[in-house]
Amino acid sequence: MTVERSRITVHGVVQGVGFRPFVARLADDLGLHGHCGNDDVSVFIEIEGKPAAVSAFVRRLRTDAPPMAVIVDATVQPVPVRGDESFRIIDSRHVPGARTLVSPDVATCADCLRELADPHDRRYRHPFVNCTNCGPRFTVITDLPYDRPNTTMAEFPLCDVCLAEYRDPADRRFHAQPVCCPDCGPHLFAEIDGRRVDGDDAVLTAVQGALRGGRIVAVKGLGGFHLVCDAANPAAVETLRARKHRPDKPFAVMTADLSVAAELCEISEPESGLLRHAARPILLLRKKNTASVADGIAPGIDDLGVMLPYTPLHHLLFTRTPGSDIEPPRVLVMTSGNLSGEPLCFDNDDARTRLRDIADVFLMHDRRIAVPCEDSVLAVADGAVLPIRRSRGFAPLPVVLPARGPEILAVGAEIKNTFCLTRQDYAFCSAHLGDMGSLESRRAFETSVRQLTHLHGITPEAVVADRHPGYSTHHWARRYSDSTGVPLLTVQHHHAHVASLMAEHGLVGTTVLGVAFDGTGYGCDTTVWGGELLLVGPDVLDSRRVGHVQPFSLPGGDAAVRNPVRVALALLHECGISDVDGLPCVEAIPAAKRAAVESQLVSGVGCIRTTSAGRLFDGVASLLGVRHRVTYEAQAAIELEALARTAPHPAHLTMAVENDQLTLPLLVSGIVAGLRDGTPPAALALGFHHALAAATADLVDRTATATGASTIGLTGGVFQNRLFLALVRAHWESSGYRVLTHHRVPPNDGGLSLGQAVIGAAATMRGP
């Protein structure tokens, strides 16, 4: 009989996820002999037997891997046959200075849910049930290697029964570091009306009663606190909005299960799969007209952010408590536990202080959160994943880079901030941190940088920041450079967007014609860019601006960002349209303010020139009467997209392309004429999307022909607009171009740090 032996080295998230027991079971299933073990960066395997069985083993390592395992690469090499007669799990080896990959937190698995619901199981209704296939990971880790003493579970010594499970390679909880039971795990408690409630069932009964009574509950989850209320109670929703100082921005909801989500929203097969994904993200779904939730949850838009329960505690909130007559909720508002503009609360005492004027009730536990982590947000565009916010369930999994490089710290953008660390051929993007406008947010940023650089054992060789001199992250990077002596590099905003897209597709080192459309980016000419075509070459440092939206003025700078009505007036002025009486944007602004804005536009005083596609969307939204003032980022554009989706047909609008510019006069005059003729605003909104998409495709075609580029990249926050993204892509369906969109990191500024890191690494390797 022919026998062969192979040595396999598997890199990735392969520690603490049941990988070695899986390997042993697979070997036994295929009749193979040998051994496997861990070192600090890999699982090493030697396998021996019939060639067909060895081939099947290698294939099934990837296809049948445990749910929490992430295989980055697996190398296979033949070695001499040794004649083993069994398969063994051998002792771990340690590599000095090595740092393994850390798993993200994932949702409670089906096996643990069965135990949670089984009255005969010792973990019945245990709010912290978990195993090697589920539960907290990233949010409880304090250091590497990933062992219980290096997690916040170190404070909960294992009982004898849990310890036996932990030590048994045949058990589902073998080396599951957060393993626990009611006897040795964390405990729930509630604080309500000045009193403390203990005992799981008593706590849950009190909280369910509070929710049914329209009260706001601060719930401590995996990565921080949520603010929770009954989604079917309009008064509770409005109370939460008022207390949180969040007048319009949509709230996410959590439904008891998939069937309840389907009552609220249209759900496609890809969307159903994402809702049930182990990461349990918030997923943007088309809301049904019959959805039985308060209108105030997502005012002005047709999407609803929905997620399914992902912790045992969530499942218990939706389950009737034994002995209680309180009907559990079916849909809960589940929004970040913070005041708008502040970082997420994740510590009990901090939550008591910062959320005391928002929450009526606190549902807490005594397991510390080591690393705060917001919920991830995804959408589906043309059947593919479109990340909006990459955080819990995905961070801190790395993006694999094409080659090893220097250790870089890239500090990201000012809004939707993430930072990025590179080590070897990995780029680690942090969890979502939010906007850097407050002192608390900047302190949270500093803490997160310290945590992740320590966790990954990184000593940066360079720090990289956006070129905008006013960004607080830019100032922080400069101070960091001054205090450490680490060189500071700055990168143009849209160059980083395109590099981010190239990195996630493994195309650094090729040529990409990037379409970078967003709201605000500091341009190389010190104006505000945001509607750019950039050609990035095989040397990722080589970026050339080859096209853009026609510049127009932003009267009052940031005031125009907050007031799209100012942008609408600027567009009319730029296009020489003086007959404006009766237009929605003119009716929406007092005469004195309108006169002041028009005076600014004539004189240029207090105006900033921009090519921003995001501001163009804002201005059109005001022209059409959709939104004249915003209370959250991209509100006008989001509502414009929602309106456009209601139109049966687009109005015929045209945007001209002249030389290297997408020009405005024909487009804006067409919108004004349509309004004068009584064309429905929805048709004009859809017509605008079509016109901008067609003009963008035309300019890209011309530029690609002139430069020889065959790969097109779509990046920047505007490409979160799924209608616009689909229309742009439709122009190239049979063109022969390769079209890149984001699937790993967001197209918005949340993905910017990855591009900064890639450019910073290239600059560092090049040297002075």
Side-chain angles (χ1 to χ4, degrees), residues 706-726:
T707 60
S710 60
T711 302
I712 314 300
L714 307 179
T715 187
V718 167
F719 286 106
Q720 293 175 170
N721 182 321
R722 286 161 282 158
L723 171 60
F724 181 63
L725 176 61

Side-chain angles (χ1 to χ4, degrees), residues 667-748:
L667 175 68
V668 176
S669 62
I671 292 171
V672 171
L675 288 169
R676 300 287 191 207
D677 292 343
T679 304
L684 291 169
L686 183 56
F688 163 71
H689 282 76
H690 277 264
L692 180 58
T696 300
D698 184 11
L699 181 55
V700 167
D701 287 341
R702 298 183 191 192
T703 308
T705 299
T707 60
S710 60
T711 302
I712 314 300
L714 307 179
T715 187
V718 167
F719 286 106
Q720 293 175 170
N721 182 321
R722 286 161 282 158
L723 171 60
F724 181 63
L725 176 61
L727 290 171
V728 173
R729 292 191 64 175
H731 284 274
W732 296 314
E733 282 181 350
S734 58
S735 64
Y737 293 125
R738 181 180 183 184
V739 182
L740 310 178
T741 58
H742 285 275
H743 304 304
R744 298 284 304 280
V745 299
N748 59 47

Side-chain angles (χ1 to χ4, degrees), residues 230-249:
D230 184 350
N233 185 329
V237 172
E238 291 310 310
T239 297
L240 178 55
R241 285 205 175 280
R243 293 180 184 177
K244 191 173 162 68
H245 301 167
R246 184 168 167 165
D248 299 304
K249 190 175 181 180

Side-chain angles (χ1 to χ4, degrees), residues 463-499:
V463 59
V464 188
D466 192 279
R467 195 164 289 170
H468 196 306
Y471 278 7
S472 60
T473 48
H474 180 109
H475 289 291
W476 185 90
R478 191 168 295 281
R479 292 194 301 272
Y480 180 90
S481 174
D482 290 343
S483 65
T484 62
V486 171
L488 170 65
L489 306 172
T490 61
V491 175
Q492 198 279 323
H493 189 90
H494 302 95
H495 185 189
H497 269 307
V498 178

Side-chain angles (χ1 to χ4, degrees), residues 504-736:
E504 76 160 81
H505 284 274
L507 291 177
V508 175
T510 67
T511 297
V512 171
L513 177 57
V515 183
F517 282 4
D518 64 359
T520 301
Y522 190 72
C524 295
D525 58 3
T526 73
T527 65
V528 175
W529 287 7
E532 311 307 315
L533 267 66
L534 298 181
L535 188 68
V536 179
D539 180 349
V540 74
L541 300 176
D542 177 19
S543 172
R544 180 162 56 98
R545 190 190 198 195
V546 291
H548 55 85
V549 171
Q550 177 188 334
F552 56 96
S553 293
L554 291 180
D558 285 345
V561 176
R562 296 188 297 271
N563 295 277
V565 65
R566 288 174 170 255
V567 184
L569 295 175
L571 292 174
L572 294 168
H573 175 82
E574 194 71 39
C575 298
I577 299 171
S578 56
D579 180 15
V580 298
D581 289 344
L583 294 177
C585 59
V586 172
E587 297 295 316
I589 186 169
K593 285 189 176 181
R594 174 188 161 194
V597 171
E598 290 175 340
S599 176
Q600 279 185 292
L601 290 167
V602 170
S603 67
V605 174
C607 291
I608 298 172
R609 297 293 281 176
T610 187
T611 59
S612 170
R615 299 291 81 81
L616 176 60
F617 274 83
D618 288 352
V620 171
S622 180
L623 282 171
L624 296 180
V626 174
R627 172 64 56 177
H628 304 294
R629 294 166 187 83
V630 300
T631 63
Y632 64 90
E633 189 207 3
Q635 181 180 7
I638 290 169
E639 293 180 0
L640 182 67
E641 179 189 3
L643 176 65
R645 284 198 288 247
T646 67
H649 304 289
H652 179 70
L653 296 173
T654 302
M655 187 176 200
V657 177
E658 297 178 11
N659 299 320
D660 64 348
Q661 292 190 31
L662 303 170
T663 59
L664 300 171
L666 203 58
L667 175 68
V668 176
S669 62
I671 292 171
V672 171
L675 288 169
R676 300 287 191 207
D677 292 343
T679 304
L684 291 169
L686 183 56
F688 163 71
H689 282 76
H690 277 264
L692 180 58
T696 300
D698 184 11
L699 181 55
V700 167
D701 287 341
R702 298 183 191 192
T703 308
T705 299
T707 60
S710 60
T711 302
I712 314 300
L714 307 179
T715 187
V718 167
F719 286 106
Q720 293 175 170
N721 182 321
R722 286 161 282 158
L723 171 60
F724 181 63
L725 176 61
L727 290 171
V728 173
R729 292 191 64 175
H731 284 274
W732 296 314
E733 282 181 350
S734 58
S735 64

